[in-house]
Amino acid sequence: MIAKIGGGKDTAGLIRYLFDTKKAKDHTDPHLVASWDGFAPDPGRADDFDTTKRLLVADLDLHVKQARRLGRAPEKHTWHCSIRAAESDRHLSDEEWADIARRVVAATGIAPAGDPDGCRWVAVRHAPDHIHIAATKVRSDLRTARHWNDYLTADRELAAIEKEYGLHQVVRGDRTAAKRPTRAEQEKARRQGRKTTSREQLRTTVRQLVSIAASPEEFLHLLDGVDGVCVDVQHFPSGDIRGYKVALEGDTNAAGEPVWFSGSHLAPDLSFPKIRERLTGIEPPPATEPGSRRKPNPWHQATAAAEPIPHHLAQSDDTVAQAHIAAFAEALDILPLIAPDHLLRQLQQAALAFERASRSRIRDQQDQARALRGAVRALRTTPATGDGSGLAMFLDIAVLVVIAAARWHQARRHDQQVAAARQALIHLQAAYEHAAAQPLAALAQRKPPARTMERHAQHLRAVLRDHADQVLDDPAWPALAAALAQAETAGHDPQQLLQHAADQRALDDARSAARTLTWRIQRLGERHALGPRAQAPHAHHAVMDPAAPQQPQARRR
């Protein structure tokens, strides 16, 4: 059930609308189902409609007129709440709607249960699937009703009603979602031939710039350089930056002035103080691999930084977990900027969907995710070109992170975030399938001889007894065997490498254990590769007898 709450200053106009059957097509049988005392006149069931309607308005306005004589009546004295059931719900009886109306006016403070001085109200049903509650906000003791946060209290009561009545349970939020475009903004975008509103376009632009900026100053510099975007930075008298606002060029109001949006009006986490907090103290990834002078692969660094997130979500404090979810959202924001064109749409949709899953009422502990943010920003200079294995490797982990995020939110009853994470998962899985196809096919073409594959199969059975048959039957097994052969040629013990890859995370929830192991073997093999001198004799032995068992080599420290 969904409630919409408003107010006004014309009781007669509100009652006229609720009982109108000429202009409103869905008003088929308007009648009262409940009222403040159970005896209110019902124009829908009276022979003299106009007279009864005037009597009802007079009864509702009684305390308003009395308070007005004392100068205590609010200017907007009417309270209007519509409650609509889902299309899939059964049709409720008048008695059931009456019970729902009484519970809502009690929960919102319009007429608290057991309070004889509550406001006067009526519930009008004029269609099978919804009712309207009309009330005046002056109590019989001539005080104004205390109905603050009435939308939230009504929403909580409707959630309980849905469970008790066996109705469709609506996904509810926690007031952390970005503000939706207004209908006027949507109509304006449609007239101008744009698919998205200015607010949505600017929100996406700002989020992507935050994901690649390494400092607050760099963020503002990047923002100022975006074509088609006007930027206005505000300062305190001291000269320190107070905030910023943005507008699209050509998007003006009736006076011809730009339509500005502050960061906080784009999304709660895009205000300048929030951005400054996120971008302060980001840890850059290591410039070289440990124990070597070799420059690490940024995709491998980002994957390694994202891999522990499911563990953090399962084991860490909520503030730490929320920080990693927010940092991971920045990784998704940057992917559309560097991904190939054929993956662009799916990755954009994934980032847009997960944006909602990245915010909750839990405040994040930013210093817990600085390493991940640093690794993410290293990707901005590393487009997903070449064979695409780096992107596929990262997306494989990204799918697991989003699954873990959905479970984390579900355990805390964050309904909107759960729905958003599941939607992002659909797009990420589709992107992964496309991204993984080419590098896996290229690896499979380099699969080793049959004797070598059988030896690697024995290693697999020794390390992964529960998953071995599943991996060996997987179409990606030749690619995994090729990755193991490459790592072995580079000086690794394939069985130890498999064990290390298997120990990183359980494979029970992997869609394809073979593909997941392939990416891990590739990443681990490159990260821990031996030096040229150590590789030479081992490589020579592999050439002489490629199927012969290899002796474990000592790893460089």
Side-chain angles (χ1 to χ4, degrees):
M1 285 187 164
I2 297 176
K4 292 184 178 180
I5 297 176
K9 51 186 178 181
D10 184 5
T11 306
L14 176 57
I15 296 300
R16 186 184 310 115
Y17 163 74
L18 295 182
F19 284 92
D20 175 61
T21 58
K22 296 180 180 179
K23 295 182 180 179
K25 296 181 180 179
D26 64 338
H27 295 193
T28 55
D29 181 23
H31 60 280
L32 295 187
V33 295
S35 65
W36 73 94
D37 62 357
F39 298 102
D42 183 359
R45 292 292 186 264
D47 295 333
D48 192 341
F49 173 80
D50 292 333
T51 300
T52 307
K53 184 179 67 175
R54 285 194 293 269
L55 289 174
L56 178 59
V57 172
D59 286 349
L60 288 170
D61 272 344
L62 176 63
H63 301 315
V64 175
K65 292 179 179 179
Q66 292 172 344
R68 190 170 290 152
R69 296 191 191 101
L70 301 176
R72 293 163 57 179
E75 181 182 1
K76 293 186 176 181
H77 62 267
T78 65
W79 186 84
H80 177 205
C81 173
S82 63
I83 304 173
R84 185 178 296 274
E87 292 183 3
S88 58
D89 287 338
R90 62 183 175 85
H91 286 176
L92 302 175
S93 66
D94 281 359
E95 291 73 19
E96 289 173 317
W97 277 119
D99 175 59
I100 292 170
R102 293 188 189 97
R103 292 176 62 169
V104 169
V105 294
T108 55
I110 293 297
D115 184 356
D117 294 326
C119 300
R120 294 192 166 192
W121 60 274
V122 294
V124 180
R125 181 182 189 181
H126 52 214
D129 62 347
H130 69 280
I131 61 170
H132 291 260
I133 303 174
T136 48
K137 296 192 292 187
V138 179
R139 296 159 45 88
S140 62
D141 57 12
L142 303 187
R143 292 188 293 121
T144 301
R146 298 168 64 90
H147 62 98
W148 297 306
N149 287 328
D150 50 8
Y151 175 78
L152 291 180
T153 53
D155 201 47
R156 282 197 292 266
E157 188 64 27
L158 290 177
I161 289 170
E162 289 168 353
K163 294 180 180 179
E164 294 176 24
Y165 278 76
L167 305 176
H168 171 71
Q169 296 184 25
V170 174
V171 174
R172 290 181 160 82
D174 55 5
R175 305 184 78 179
T176 61
K179 186 177 180 181
R180 294 181 179 180
T182 64
R183 184 173 180 179
E185 291 173 351
Q186 293 172 338
E187 292 294 336
K188 185 177 184 180
R190 190 175 296 112
R191 290 194 304 270
Q192 295 177 348
R194 291 186 283 114
K195 294 182 179 180
T196 59
T197 64
S198 297
R199 185 193 301 272
E200 293 169 312
Q201 184 174 339
L202 290 167
R203 181 187 302 140
T204 299
T205 299
V206 171
R207 284 187 65 86
Q208 289 180 335
L209 294 181
V210 172
S211 72
I212 63 176
S215 67
E217 295 75 20
E218 185 181 11
F219 161 70
L220 291 176
H221 175 73
L222 292 171
L223 186 61
D224 189 52
V226 178
D227 291 337
V229 175
C230 305
V231 183
D232 182 16
V233 179
Q234 295 94 40
H235 296 81
F236 289 110
S238 63
D240 294 334
I241 297 174
R242 184 182 67 183
Y244 72 97
K245 57 183 181 179
V246 288
L248 282 184
E249 288 185 359
D251 184 19
T252 58
N253 57 23
E257 301 170 341
V259 179
W260 294 100
F261 296 92
S262 65
S264 59
H265 283 176
L266 295 176
D269 56 343
L270 294 183
S271 67
F272 188 74
K274 293 287 183 67
I275 292 175
R276 180 170 52 203
E277 183 180 6
R278 290 160 63 183
L279 298 184
T280 299
I282 292 177
E283 297 179 10
T288 59
E289 289 183 349
S292 74
R293 299 178 180 178
R294 185 176 180 178
K295 185 177 180 180
N297 186 320
W299 285 104
H300 292 189
Q301 289 181 315
T303 302
E307 203 162 31
I309 295 179
H311 172 78
H312 287 300
L313 299 187
Q315 304 293 334
S316 301
D317 178 82
D318 278 1
T319 58
V320 175
Q322 177 63 48
H324 282 87
I325 290 176
F328 177 74
E330 294 177 11
L332 295 188
D333 286 332
I334 200 175
L335 292 183
L337 300 177
I338 56 179
D341 292 341
H342 69 283
L343 299 177
L344 191 59
R345 188 181 68 85
Q346 293 290 1
L347 292 177
Q348 283 178 333
Q349 293 300 316
L352 288 173
F354 197 78
E355 181 256 356
R356 179 65 190 100
S358 67
R359 289 190 302 272
S360 72
R361 302 294 290 182
I362 298 172
R363 182 174 175 80
D364 50 357
Q365 190 173 332
Q366 297 288 350
D367 58 350
Q368 293 294 323
R370 288 175 176 171
L372 174 59
R373 287 192 161 97
V376 166
R377 277 150 183 80
L379 294 176
R380 63 181 179 175
T381 57
T382 313
T385 54
D387 65 356
S389 60
L391 175 59
M393 185 183 305
F394 182 81
L395 290 178
D396 179 60
I397 292 299
V399 167
L400 300 178
V401 172
V402 173
I403 292 173
R407 292 172 178 169
W408 186 82
H409 282 303
Q410 188 170 29
R412 288 149 188 81
R413 298 182 180 180
H414 300 165
D415 293 341
Q416 284 193 353
Q417 289 86 340
V418 171
R422 289 174 177 170
Q423 188 63 37
L425 180 62
I426 294 173
H427 296 294
L428 275 180
Q429 288 175 334
Y432 170 73
E433 294 295 335
H434 285 88
Q438 180 179 347
L440 286 175
L443 267 176
Q445 290 178 353
R446 300 195 298 271
K447 70 178 181 179
R451 290 177 58 190
T452 304
M453 289 192 67
E454 179 56 33
R455 183 163 46 82
H456 290 322
Q458 292 175 4
H459 295 151
L460 189 69
R461 292 188 182 98
V463 174
L464 296 170
R465 297 176 182 176
D466 295 338
H467 297 278
D469 291 339
Q470 175 189 352
V471 172
L472 294 174
D473 292 337
D474 195 302
W477 160 238
L480 173 57
L484 285 169
Q486 288 179 352
E488 188 175 34
T489 301
H492 293 285
D493 178 352
Q495 186 165 330
Q496 289 183 359
L497 205 60
L498 268 174
Q499 187 66 61
H500 192 179
D503 290 343
Q504 287 185 339
R505 185 192 58 81
L507 297 170
D508 295 331
D509 55 355
R511 298 184 72 190
S512 169
R515 289 187 293 184
T516 297
L517 287 171
T518 300
W519 307 130
R520 292 182 189 176
I521 294 297
Q522 277 203 316
R523 181 162 56 85
L524 291 172
E526 179 173 322
R527 182 168 50 176
H528 300 294
L530 298 175
R533 291 185 179 180
Q535 291 182 27
H538 189 85
H540 176 73
H541 178 71
V543 170
M544 296 296 294
D545 183 7
Q550 305 295 329
Q551 297 297 320
Q553 299 291 320
R555 293 181 181 175
R556 296 186 61 183
R557 297 185 180 273

